[in-house]
Amino acid sequence: GQQVMQIPQYQHVQEGEDFTTYCNSSTTLSNIQWYKQRPGGHPVFLIQLVKSGEVKKQKRLTFQFGEAKKNSSLHITATQTTDVGTYFCAGPLTGGGNKLTFGTGTQLKVEL
Amino acid sequence: GAVVSQHPSWVICKSGTSVKIECRSLDFQATTMFWYRQFPKQSLMLMATSNEGSKATYEQGVEKDKFLINHASLTLSTLTVTSAHPEDSSFYICSASRSTSSYNSPLHFGNGTRLTVT
């Protein structure tokens, strides 16, 4: 079945270091979305990428959609303690209309 | 922004009892809502799609008689965990999308319900 994997599973960084999480789908995606879930919280939508090779930036966050539309990445420059949480990518379920399948997630911890 | 309210935030119940979880879209109408389940330190697993005015569609492996979904209005979907057992203990989260377009639009999540079955 359709799988969306993310690496790494966990990442500990010192505040100020950069962080990247990679998302890989077993199937081509029409679009990809990224969500952030703080500890004890619910997922919050960050961004959606649609075009092959698309790059979008939100302040210190840079999102990229691969040329083949099967992978994506999220890069955070100069992490801060507020970046702590789990980052999920999500793509449309094959044949599933509006349904999304979520990636395995990358948990980020930022230490002072 | 779109707001989705979920209630209760947490519930503890005894094995064999049923628990109802409500999900409301507060500032928009949602013809479709989605129910997810999340185990500790794991990803979100889609359980079912709640369709206003019609039967819910369940993902493979999800027991429809155990997880009853009702979507009686454009702003309310309920998930009832029937005859709960300890293995049903989990974090249940609902979500909804503003758009009715077939193209994926962002999901707005409720705060989630942490269910503990003793």
Side-chain angles (χ1 to χ4, degrees):
Chain A
Q2 183 180 10
Q3 289 187 330
V4 182
M5 306 296 291
Q6 284 181 252
I7 55 170
Q9 188 175 5
Y10 303 101
Q11 184 82 60
H12 290 201
V13 300
Q14 295 289 321
E15 189 176 43
E17 292 181 338
D18 292 355
F19 159 77
T20 304
T21 172
Y22 299 91
C23 172
N24 293 286
S25 170
S26 59
T27 60
T28 301
L29 301 171
S30 59
N31 70 90
I32 196 153
Q33 300 178 23
W34 284 91
Y35 292 80
K36 176 184 178 181
Q37 185 176 23
R38 293 181 184 273
H42 61 278
V44 175
F45 172 76
L46 294 177
I47 208 161
Q48 182 179 40
L49 303 170
V50 177
K51 298 177 183 177
S52 170
E54 187 172 12
V55 177
K56 286 188 176 180
K57 290 189 176 184
Q58 287 181 350
K59 297 183 180 178
R60 295 179 294 104
L61 277 62
T62 302
F63 304 84
Q64 188 168 12
F65 201 8
E67 294 290 340
K69 302 183 79 172
K70 293 182 71 175
N71 56 72
S72 181
S73 65
L74 158 58
H75 179 81
I76 302 178
T77 304
T79 55
Q80 299 175 359
T81 54
T82 52
D83 296 325
V84 165
T86 301
Y87 293 85
F88 293 100
C89 61
L93 208 60
T94 302
N98 265 330
K99 295 192 288 188
L100 286 180
T101 185
F102 279 76
T104 48
T106 296
Q107 183 180 359
L108 172 65
K109 291 190 176 181
V110 181
E111 299 171 355
L112 293 172
Chain B
V3 178
V4 176
S5 174
Q6 190 172 338
H7 178 82
S9 298
W10 59 271
V11 58
I12 301 173
C13 72
K14 292 186 176 181
S15 188
T17 61
S18 295
V19 174
K20 180 185 281 189
I21 302 169
E22 292 188 349
C23 179
R24 295 179 184 274
S25 55
L26 298 185
D27 57 350
F28 66 103
Q29 293 182 332
T31 55
T32 303
M33 291 185 176
F34 303 96
W35 287 94
Y36 287 85
R37 181 176 183 176
Q38 186 177 37
F39 290 106
K41 298 190 184 298
Q42 293 190 23
S43 186
L44 290 84
M45 299 301 297
L46 180 64
M47 297 175 65
T49 303
S50 175
N51 306 297
E52 188 269 335
S54 64
K55 291 182 179 180
T57 53
Y58 292 81
E59 296 303 305
Q60 191 173 11
V62 178
E63 299 175 60
K64 61 180 182 181
D65 294 330
K66 180 166 188 62
F67 299 100
L68 300 178
I69 291 173
N70 184 271
H71 196 149
S73 76
L74 286 170
T75 59
L76 173 64
S77 174
T78 60
L79 167 67
T80 301
V81 183
T82 62
S83 187
H85 290 284
E87 57 265 31
D88 298 324
S89 298
S90 188
F91 190 52
Y92 294 88
I93 323 176
C94 69
S95 65
S97 171
R98 270 189 180 278
S99 174
T100 56
S101 167
S102 59
Y103 198 79
N104 288 108
S105 53
L107 293 179
H108 303 280
F109 284 86
N111 289 333
T113 298
R114 192 162 302 281
L115 170 64
T116 302
V117 185
T118 60

